[in-house]
Amino acid sequence: MRLWPGKARPEPVAWFWRSRVPVRSGLASALWLLAALPALVPGVAWAQAAPVLLEVSGQVHQPLALTREQLLALKRKEYTESRSVQQDGKEVVLRIVFQGVPLRELLDRAGLKPDRREIRKAVVLLTAQDGYQTSFSWGELYNSQVGDGVVVVLRHGPDELLDTESFASLRSLQDLRPGPRHVRWLTRVEVLLPQGRTP
């Protein structure tokens, strides 16, 4: 029995796409199809790329785009910070333990661009998910004790930050006033040179 009287039976694949996919062309069509595949073919588990939580970019040889799994795989160091607080009218010293990665190690992994003289004028700009920004000079990070305590924090006390806050944070443990350069929800590290200078 002919299901399409008087007409040739349509080719099934072409009929499927014509009946479900609007006519598009070029790159727009390809992008639309990729986005629409889960709806067009239900019941299939489509792999999705893991979201990037921290980027290192700017004047570096190898920009980094680190996912949760990559951040968790980084070798950590442990740091201790002492704070004086008032409790019941008395001054009490609290010791807080952090685990994380020195910011310098991430910058070295990305590789600062030459030449050496120009990169010494660089500023490292740090940006949080909510838009807050702070910065360090190259000299602070690589030629002073301040750099020893600039840490991408992954664990704060008992809390794994990627679980509790979804992002790492940044602490500058050698600052006399640590608050201004404490970056919560750190998402981006950029190595910048003064305008007009490119090594």
Side-chain angles (χ1 to χ4, degrees), residues 20-186:
R20 290 163 172 77
V21 181
V23 176
R24 296 167 187 260
S25 62
L27 180 60
S29 178
L31 293 174
W32 187 92
L33 288 175
L34 287 174
L37 276 174
L40 292 171
V41 189
V44 177
W46 297 94
Q48 296 183 351
V52 172
L53 299 186
L54 180 60
E55 296 180 83
V56 180
S57 61
Q59 297 298 319
V60 296
H61 288 293
Q62 183 63 51
L64 306 178
L66 301 172
T67 65
R68 171 188 168 86
E69 289 71 22
Q70 290 169 325
L71 286 170
L72 290 174
L74 294 174
K75 185 177 180 180
R76 304 182 186 189
K77 295 183 179 180
E78 190 168 284
Y79 302 83
T80 301
E81 182 181 47
S82 297
R83 297 181 188 172
S84 296
V85 299
Q86 293 291 326
Q87 289 185 355
D88 300 325
K90 299 179 180 179
E91 184 173 314
V92 178
V93 177
L94 299 180
R95 296 178 70 252
I96 302 173
V97 177
F98 301 95
Q99 290 182 0
V101 182
L103 178 60
R104 284 189 308 220
E105 288 192 8
L106 291 182
L107 294 174
D108 290 343
R109 177 177 293 201
L112 298 180
K113 286 186 175 179
D115 69 45
R116 293 181 180 180
R117 290 184 180 179
E118 286 298 317
I119 203 63
R120 292 173 186 173
K121 301 170 185 177
V123 171
V124 179
L125 180 66
L126 302 117
T127 303
Q129 192 266 346
D130 63 357
Y132 182 78
Q133 292 183 315
T134 192
S135 63
F136 293 87
S137 68
W138 178 93
E140 286 181 298
L141 293 174
Y142 284 92
N143 198 33
S144 78
Q145 290 183 342
V146 171
D148 296 336
V150 181
V151 184
V152 176
V153 178
L154 298 170
R155 186 179 182 89
H156 182 167
D159 298 327
E160 283 286 342
L161 295 186
L162 298 186
D163 293 331
T164 59
E165 302 203 348
S166 301
F167 296 97
S169 69
L170 183 122
R171 301 300 298 263
S172 182
L173 302 178
Q174 300 290 343
D175 284 0
L176 295 178
R177 297 177 58 195
R181 296 204 285 194
H182 172 200
V183 182
R184 192 176 179 184
W185 310 316
L186 178 67

